[in-house]
Amino acid sequence: MTAGPRARYREQVRDEVRAHAWEQIVEAGASALSLKAIAKKMGMTAPALYRYFASRDELLTELVLTAYQDLAEVVEAVPVDAAPETTLRLLAEALRDWASTNPQRYLLVYGTPVPGYSAPPDATDLARRIFTPLVTAYTDLLGSPEAAFGRSVTFWSRLHGVLSLELAGHFAGMGVDTGALYDAEIRSVTGKA
């Protein structure tokens, strides 16, 4: 059934709010997210905007879930190769491509936590979807689910370390080739050094 004009308008306003929220996050970080500032930019009063999002945390939750969902879809689209090392490399490359294309989304879910905000349980489910292909590839590689989990955590932590530092600008002026560094980490954690 097609949504009526009121429902379509409501969704258009919510889309515009989300777009302005991403702009705020790019400009000042997730901690600076402000419904009042968004309302002003849209020519609305803050109370009027609260009819579309009850709170900053509700809006933040939608943004967090959207970011996780996007990454989950990217990771799940990675082809599984007969060689687990190849699958791991493809997963790592997909993560870096997504993060480089969507730095604000990456930093929202993997950067500094927003003070006073707790992500909903749905975020954990999405994070599990993102992590599962790693564990599967390492299980295929090692044959042991316990060892696979530990290696997956190492893989994830090291790659996110490089990505987080890169996207936050901490390698600026150091002459570090972040692509080469990331590639070296992939080789190290997949045993292809």
Side-chain angles (χ1 to χ4, degrees):
M1 185 162 107
T2 304
R6 186 178 297 196
R8 287 193 309 268
Y9 176 74
R10 178 176 178 73
E11 196 52 38
Q12 287 172 349
V13 172
R14 288 174 58 85
D15 285 345
E16 187 176 348
V17 170
R18 287 186 286 261
H20 286 296
W22 283 120
E23 288 172 9
Q24 277 189 3
I25 290 170
V26 168
E27 293 169 6
S31 295
L33 187 61
S34 163
L35 285 176
K36 185 176 179 180
I38 292 171
K40 184 176 180 181
K41 197 164 194 173
M42 292 176 65
M44 299 174 74
T45 64
L49 190 62
Y50 283 104
R51 288 186 292 222
Y52 299 95
F53 287 95
S55 66
R56 176 206 67 153
D57 285 1
E58 181 183 317
L59 174 57
L60 198 51
T61 292
E62 280 205 27
L63 301 176
V64 165
L65 294 178
T66 297
Y68 271 126
Q69 179 67 36
D70 287 351
L71 181 54
E73 290 172 5
V74 165
V75 167
E76 290 170 345
V78 168
V80 175
D81 192 275
E85 297 92 341
T86 302
T87 301
L88 290 167
R89 171 167 288 286
L90 293 172
L91 288 167
E93 290 169 354
L95 171 64
R96 186 161 193 257
D97 289 345
W98 180 83
S100 298
T101 303
N102 303 284
Q104 72 283 4
R105 290 177 186 229
Y106 177 88
L107 292 170
L108 177 62
V109 295
Y110 294 112
T112 304
V114 176
Y117 174 75
S118 294
D122 294 357
T124 303
D125 295 337
L126 288 166
R128 191 172 292 117
R129 280 179 52 196
I130 294 164
F131 193 68
T132 296
L134 296 174
V135 176
T136 301
Y138 268 116
T139 300
D140 291 346
L141 181 65
L142 303 173
S144 162
E146 295 80 18
F149 182 79
R151 288 285 295 275
S152 297
V153 169
T154 300
F155 177 99
W156 204 236
S157 300
R158 288 175 62 177
L159 296 181
H160 277 292
V162 173
L163 279 175
S164 295
L165 290 169
E166 177 184 7
L167 294 175
H170 294 295
F171 290 124
M174 293 176 64
V176 173
D177 179 342
T178 54
L181 177 61
Y182 194 77
D183 190 60
E185 286 301 306
I186 294 170
R187 287 193 315 273
S188 176
V189 293
T190 60
K192 293 283 188 174

